Amino acid sequence: MSKNQAMTCQQSEQESGTAWPAGSSDILRIGKGKTTRRAYGFDEIALVPGSVTYDLELCDISIELGKHRFSMPILASAMDSVVDANMAAAMGKLGGLAVLNLQGLQTRYENTDDVYTKVTSCDNQSFVSVMQDLYSVPIQDRLISKRVEEIKAKGVLAAVSVTPNMAEKYGPLAVKAGCDILVVQSTVTGVKHHSANSAPNLDLTKFCKQVAIPVIVGNCVTYEIAIALMKTGVAGILVGIGPGAACTSRSVLGIGVPMATAIADCAAAAVEFAAEHGQRPLLIADGGMVTGGDICKALACGADAVMIGSPIARAKEAPGRGFHWGMATPSPVLPRGTRIKVGTSGTLEQILLGPAHIDDGTQNLTGALKTSMSTLGAANIAEMQQVEVVIAPSILTEGKVFQNAQHIGMGRS
């Protein structure tokens, strides 16, 4: 693009209220009336080794969230197919964190066995209707308290998720029951919301002070929103819209930013925030990560931790019985998720810590991370965030003819 073309683009963006920073070199055009830029997903990038390597044992993958420390940077998604009290306990004892959905099946039904049987036994043509019916049963306040207490009784931290519109109702109930970490999560979370009624908006700054426990908020994909959310006092930010294996938001709504770019943009916000305030909230990449390599790339793009669903839904301990479904699948108005069959590949310990018995990178995720870090010369996550990243559209296909033809290894997908 010539200098005159770039100036024309910037002028057009300023007039439309969507200006990029002056001097941006990534400005493109869809057509004469719309400027844009290129964004990248995990499959389009690769990590470049440096001049230093480490033994695996020297690589520290621990993270801190508020006053809590975890031995791995992995959170289990707040999805009914992924987390119940038993999974929360298993995840916590292995050094990670599982988040329970307070507005799902676990808080609508005392006994969920029959409910999960209905979800997992219906066919692909009827499951949305089946789930809409099952999720129409009202949430019971007493079950919110009971589920938190069940997790705490197992000797691990209790983390739960609520939507922004229900945070002030369900959040205090969870905190009173002993909740340690609260996640306020929706498809897109902004700092301003214009309501059609007189209901008050959630004041995140005030809310964080009131609950007095670490609050994670999401989801976002842009530099500007990440900065604004960080200023509210949250302990963590979820990055990602629509990349999840069971999410259909990108198809239904047409929104989303490929994860590598989304993380890098929000990481830039975190760096700026830390420079000004001396510390920063935890940046958590949420969705779109299936293999150890995906997790490595997420951290290299600037994430401090990851939240994953489908890889953990494949664990023997997962409540979904080999199935996985999106949080918005049972929406009575506009479902934005689906139910997928992921199968059961092994125990949670095998998936997180190994040993791996599958060759496609979906087991021993922490081993993969440490091996990648040792090869890249990153002794900790902060150093992992500084490794070189290249655009590599052929990274998953180059030299893999036989694997792809035989559907083994990297050709399984």
Side-chain angles (χ1 to χ4, degrees), residues 72-335:
M72 68 176 73
I74 299 177
L75 288 73
S77 298
M79 306 171 85
D80 284 336
S81 56
V82 179
V83 179
D84 60 4
N86 290 328
M87 175 58 82
M91 193 80 183
K93 290 175 181 178
L94 291 176
L97 179 70
V99 184
L100 181 77
N101 179 11
L102 281 190
Q103 292 168 240
L105 298 176
Q106 298 292 324
T107 56
R108 298 174 192 269
Y109 299 90
E110 179 81 36
N111 188 329
T112 60
D113 286 344
D114 291 342
V115 179
Y116 276 93
T117 297
K118 291 179 180 179
V119 173
T120 58
S121 62
C122 62
D123 59 34
N124 289 338
Q125 284 67 46
S126 63
F127 81 90
V128 172
S129 297
V130 169
M131 294 180 74
Q132 287 175 327
D133 181 59
L134 293 173
Y135 280 80
S136 67
V137 173
I139 294 170
Q140 302 180 49
D141 289 0
R142 69 175 186 84
L143 287 180
I144 289 177
S145 300
K146 181 176 181 179
R147 298 310 183 207
V148 173
E149 291 167 356
E150 286 175 351
I151 296 173
K152 293 295 292 181
K154 297 179 183 295
V156 299
L157 295 176
V160 298
S161 172
V162 294
T163 56
N165 62 318
M166 302 305 294
E168 292 184 320
K169 178 179 181 180
Y170 297 140
L173 292 176
V175 173
K176 185 177 180 180
C179 174
D180 300 288
I181 298 168
L182 185 63
V183 180
V184 180
Q185 185 173 17
S186 61
T187 301
V188 179
T189 296
V191 292
K192 293 182 180 180
H193 175 73
H194 299 286
S195 178
N197 53 47
S198 59
N201 299 323
L202 176 65
D203 185 329
L204 274 173
T205 302
K206 182 179 178 182
F207 183 75
C208 289
K209 293 179 180 178
Q210 286 179 336
V211 298
I213 63 173
V215 174
I216 299 172
V217 66
N219 285 35
C220 71
V221 290
T222 66
Y223 171 91
E224 293 81 6
I225 299 302
I227 280 280
L229 291 175
M230 290 175 187
K231 292 179 179 178
T232 66
V234 296
I237 302 239
L238 294 171
V239 177
I241 296 176
C247 183
T248 61
S249 290
R250 291 181 175 180
S251 175
V252 175
L253 304 179
I255 64 173
V257 175
M259 284 296 282
T261 295
I263 296 167
D265 284 348
C266 294
V271 170
E272 179 178 319
F273 186 88
E276 182 177 348
H277 300 276
Q279 58 182 1
R280 55 180 257 188
L282 208 65
L283 200 68
I284 306 167
D286 177 21
M289 291 153 288
V290 178
T291 66
D294 295 335
I295 294 174
C296 296
K297 292 177 183 180
L299 299 184
C301 286
D304 301 298
V306 300
M307 176 178 274
I308 56 177
S310 60
I312 294 179
R314 301 180 70 189
K316 291 180 179 179
E317 297 91 335
R321 305 177 185 179
F323 285 88
H324 181 49
W325 55 92
M327 295 176 71
T329 301
S331 169
V333 179
L334 187 66

